[in-house]
Amino acid sequence: ITSKHVGSYPTADEVPLSEQNAFLDHAKQYNWVRVMALLDKKPQLVNAQGGPSTGKWKRWSALHQASFEGNAKIVQELLDRGADPFARASDKDDRAPLGKQPIDVCTAPRKGGTKMQRLLRSLLAVDDDDGGGGGGGGVASAATTAAAAAAAAAAAA
């Protein structure tokens, strides 16, 4: 999946790494009440990927964690707050700079993996053929995506 809207998502670049990592630790523990409280205070954390003060690797975003957990409600909430569905995590050694996206991790053997993948595809209105022959998927308009989101959330519930 590739984005035709690169750069249109809020970034956490101005937030200290210690705050980003603390936020991501809450997401990793599926502490969604705390995650949402932190987002209320600092909305730009929605796309935090933290990492060490040295090195380039990026952790899973909160959207990665919610997708992995199979939590449709939180996935929807994070997307509504501007989470980047195309964010890629990389490993600690930066060997995989184009690592997994949230849709890639929702197939993990957790509750609702297949359902969650369908939900994300619906939310993103993924088109498997972007017409360019390059293998990327296209993204529909916001109105189409909102309609698909409502239908997908009902189906995933």
Side-chain angles (χ1 to χ4, degrees), residues 36-73:
M36 294 306 159
L38 289 169
L39 286 175
D40 287 342
K41 291 179 183 175
K42 287 195 177 177
Q44 64 270 37
L45 281 170
V46 74
N47 289 311
Q49 287 190 271
S53 58
T54 59
K56 299 177 185 176
W57 63 273
K58 295 179 180 181
R59 293 177 63 179
W60 278 14
S61 67
L63 185 58
H64 281 87
Q65 297 292 352
S67 299
F68 183 73
E69 183 189 25
N71 192 327
K73 179 181 175 189

Side-chain angles (χ1 to χ4, degrees), residues 8 11 21 43-44 47 52 59 67 88 97-98 115 133-134 137 144 150 154:
S8 63
T11 67
N21 285 323
Q44 64 270 37
N47 289 311
R59 293 177 63 179
S67 299
R88 291 188 180 271
L98 295 177
K115 253 189 208 180
T144 303

